[in-house]
């Protein structure tokens, strides 16, 4: 399996030793950006077009995914939280690799980009700027390079509206947090070549755009 984040040796698509290897499509974005809906729509459209596809997400539905959700509820330290996301990804990546080798396309709702964006923000108070590089290296052995990562960009304030959050202190804290995550995502998009999608439009329109890109692949 090809594993790397920053300096990939081979990409998922370049694993030519298996002729019919599927494509690995990842959707990233802040909470409320609509990525889950768009990911599901892409999966359904691929299936309808007769292309085998698996829809999957992180945190996963596995026991480690349950630990991630529990860690969030228990207010585990940001390091524990990070390592749980990475552990979840390690198992998930092995599964994704199998699906790809079976010739299935894999549509993944959040992957390593989520850790690189969200945990860069939660770890910054502890590690400062080096948080970003630390996160890359800790993920590298457990990470496949996606064929494409779509980044659904939406103003955090609009995202909060979509999430139906009410005014109050919690909202401001969350908005502040999402603004920082959004900044990290934009930075990643530039560095790692994410495909930026304007998610401020109706989701059908967003899905149509993404589908046209996938169809060309
Ligand atoms: P989300 O996709 O919003 O799941 P759901 O819609 O089922 O609640 O993901 C849950 C949260 O987990 C979201 O706020 C982003 C966060 N997250 C990270 O901080 N790091 C990660 O590596 C992943 C995968 C998710």
């Amino acid at each position: 399996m090809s594993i790397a984040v920053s300096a990939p040796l081979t990409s998922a698509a370049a694993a030519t030793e298996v002729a019919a290897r599927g494509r690995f499509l990842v959707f990233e974005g802040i909470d409320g950006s609509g990525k889950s809906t768009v990911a599901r729509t892409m999966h359904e459209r691929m299936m309808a077009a007769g292309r085998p596809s698996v829809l999957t997400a992180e945190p996963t539905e596995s026991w480690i995914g349950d630990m991630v959700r529990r860690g969030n509820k228990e207010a585990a330290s940001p390091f524990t939280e990070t390592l749980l996301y990475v552990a979840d990804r390690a198992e998930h990546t092995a599964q994704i690799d199998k699906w790809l080798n079976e010739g299935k396309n894999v549509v993944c709702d959040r992957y390593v980009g989520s850790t690189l964006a969200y945990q860069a923000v939660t770890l910054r108070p502890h590690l400062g700027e080096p948080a970003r590089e630390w996160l890359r290296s800790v993920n590298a052995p457990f990470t496949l390079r996606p064929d494409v990562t779509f980044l659904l960009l939406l103003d955090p304030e609009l995202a909060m509206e979509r999430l139906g959050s009410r005014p109050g202190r919690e909202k401001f804290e969350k908005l502040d947090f999402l603004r920082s995550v959004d900044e990290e995502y934009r930075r990643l998009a530039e560095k790692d070549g994410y495909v930026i999608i304007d998610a401020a439009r109706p989701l059908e329109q967003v899905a149509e755009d993404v589908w046209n890109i996938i169809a060309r692949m």
Side-chain angles (χ1 to χ4, degrees):
M1 144 170 100
S2 60
I3 40 178
V5 180
S6 48
L9 298 173
T10 56
S11 74
T16 42
E17 67 275 13
V18 182
R21 191 168 157 93
R23 297 296 179 107
F24 183 24
L25 316 169
V26 171
F27 288 84
E28 294 285 358
I30 57 172
D31 309 60
S33 61
K35 65 178 174 41
S36 303
T37 307
V38 176
R40 188 174 3 94
T41 308
M42 293 311 111
H43 164 68
E44 285 165 359
R45 287 187 77 159
M46 274 195 280
M47 294 293 279
R51 300 289 173 120
S53 167
V54 177
L55 178 64
T56 188
E58 292 188 8
T60 67
E61 290 302 320
S62 72
W63 64 273
I64 309 183
D66 290 342
M67 279 171 60
V68 170
R69 282 179 283 273
R70 176 149 179 204
N72 289 343
K73 267 197 217 124
E74 306 267 343
S77 94
F79 285 103
T80 306
E81 209 181 80
T82 301
L83 295 171
L84 286 173
Y85 282 121
V86 177
D88 191 32
R89 183 159 308 119
E91 291 302 311
H92 195 206
T93 297
Q95 180 61 63
I96 291 169
D97 196 53
K98 267 192 214 148
W99 285 323
L100 294 171
N101 279 333
E102 288 165 9
K104 293 169 182 150
N105 294 319
V106 175
V107 179
C108 193
D109 177 358
R110 296 198 183 283
Y111 192 57
V112 65
S114 286
T115 300
L116 297 181
Y118 282 78
Q119 275 63 59
V121 177
T122 60
L123 291 183
R124 195 176 302 138
H126 306 272
L127 297 180
E129 291 294 307
R132 294 193 185 109
E133 280 316 308
W134 184 76
L135 284 166
R136 268 184 198 272
S137 56
V138 85
N139 270 279
F142 314 108
T143 311
L144 265 175
R145 188 178 168 83
D147 288 291
V148 60
T149 297
F150 293 102
L151 174 60
L152 271 63
L153 280 186
L154 179 66
D155 180 76
E157 211 144 344
L158 278 175
M160 292 284 290
E161 264 172 45
R162 280 194 189 168
L163 291 170
S165 57
R166 292 177 202 93
R169 187 157 162 259
E170 214 174 280
K171 180 186 165 176
F172 280 109
E173 277 173 8
K174 172 112 183 166
L175 185 55
D176 234 30
F177 177 68
L178 288 185
R179 282 205 176 110
S180 305
V181 175
D182 179 61
E183 262 175 44
E184 290 300 322
Y185 265 137
R186 287 170 193 266
R187 184 186 256 271
L188 285 171
E190 204 162 296
K191 189 170 164 85
D192 294 341
Y194 293 174
V195 176
I196 289 184
I197 303 291
D198 171 12
R201 302 162 299 156
L203 281 184
E204 307 83 68
Q205 223 174 304
V206 176
E208 200 52 40
D209 258 21
V210 175
W211 178 250
N212 287 334
I213 296 170
I214 292 177
R216 280 203 299 271
M217 288 171 72

